[in-house]
Amino acid sequence: MKKVGILISGRGSNMESLLLSMRERDFPCDAKVVISNIETASGLEKAKKLNVKTEVINHKDSKTREEHDEKMIEVLKKEGVEIVCLAGYMRLLSPLFVREFKNKILNIHPALLPAFPGLDVQKKAVESGVRFSGCTVHLVDELCDHGPILLQSVVPVFPDDDSDKLAKRILKFEHKTYPLALKLFAEEKFEIEGNRALLKVDNSEYEEIVKKLMWNGE
Amino acid sequence: MKKVGILISGRGSNMESLLLSMRERDFPCDAKVVISNIETASGLEKAKKLNVKTEVINHKDSKTREEHDEKMIEVLKKEGVEIVCLAGYMRLLSPLFVREFKNKILNIHPALLPAFPGLDVQKKAVESGVRFSGCTVHLVDELCDHGPILLQSVVPVFPDDDSDKLAKRILKFEHKTYPLALKLFAEEKFEIEGNRALLKVDNSEYEEIVKKLMWNGE
């Protein structure tokens, strides 16, 4: 069992799907702690209800990003955390933090990276006129929305979509994609080669995974 | 019936799929001419076999891009061409040509634009570690691999893919996507708004289209 810590700043909907998955039999991870930088994040209540330890580490109590990140590192280390999942954590991590958990930090982004990094990405996708968008679970490196891609999901963009409608369709797939990526990552099914994560499964297993991650009318 | 001209430089595999589609009943287009800038392009033979008029306009016979493009415009105009399809035409079009057929030039690109414009895109996709790629049919504007997106197709990238394997999987979908985009375009189902092409079909029709354009194990 791999020990997992989750960082949030808000409602933590992806946190919740990760925590629910970790309760399932055979899921190779154990949720040790949820840390929020915002005291009023509603995700904290959800974590408590699922009997997961929570901590608030308010970034305003630190003078620098590094000082704040060091406080988080201390808590994560104390809990023996081996994998850190970002779930709507709205702050950039310092290089210090990224180095401390090198290739052990997962993030989810609501677009098909490398298309549409940054913020307001569902709006950007709708306005750009792409026919498909989706989400990306990737390892975090020192660049924003960058690092080896673990899994992606694909959904269509409908002609009458606005960014909210598209965001909702993508979010459904985020809740499938993130737990599956964490599971495969904890099972050490990814081999990291530079900026690429090779998935060590055979083609028929890959096909099964891929089909789960493609919209099919739902 | 909309009159179509096709520009090629090589084997013309997308040209062939367009020409075969245009032979089908109810397809609202008529192929008037195939122009190649390369005399030895094997696509010329394929077009002749399908009884489509061909012309060679060697770019080396012109001093400037504009001069070459003017020769092409002359042929296309003489044939009454209303829609120009680029099918592996390996030269940039001059602004002159793009203005002459403004929002009437279609191109296909073997990636999910805006990701991976330019050349060697299947290699770039494999090396970047994305889990999905595909193709994009778009209207041509004065930028490279840019302009309103008409349709896109999605295929997975397999762990053991090299650029050839991925290119083959995408090409299959190019041959579906390009004729479908041309058909919808000729039927005036796209409304162009700035850099966006809105597809004027209802959601259930859109769903049918989208499902055809998503890989499903083939």
Side-chain angles (χ1 to χ4, degrees), chain A residues 132, chain B residues 108-113 115-116 121-122 125 130 132-137 152-157 166-167 169-171 173-174 177 213:
Chain A
F132 295 97
Chain B
I108 189 158
H109 180 79
L112 289 174
L113 293 174
F116 310 120
V121 296
Q122 295 95 338
V130 290
F132 295 97
S133 190
C135 67
T136 303
V137 179
Q152 295 183 301
S153 276
V154 179
V155 308
V157 182
L166 178 60
R169 195 175 306 118
I170 292 173
L171 191 63
F173 275 82
E174 291 179 43
T177 313
L213 301 179

Side-chain angles (χ1 to χ4, degrees), chain B residues 49-66:
Chain B
K49 273 190 193 148
L50 292 166
N51 296 315
V52 177
K53 185 170 177 174
T54 61
E55 294 261 0
V56 175
I57 304 178
N58 191 330
H59 59 277
K60 289 182 185 157
D61 296 337
S62 296
K63 281 191 194 111
T64 63
R65 190 177 300 278
E66 286 69 25

Side-chain angles (χ1 to χ4, degrees), chain B residues 20-38:
Chain B
L20 290 172
S21 297
M22 282 190 252
R23 289 178 146 205
E24 285 166 21
R25 214 194 215 304
D26 298 335
F27 201 100
C29 297
D30 199 11
K32 299 303 287 179
V33 64
V34 168
I35 303 176
S36 173
N37 64 314
I38 306 281

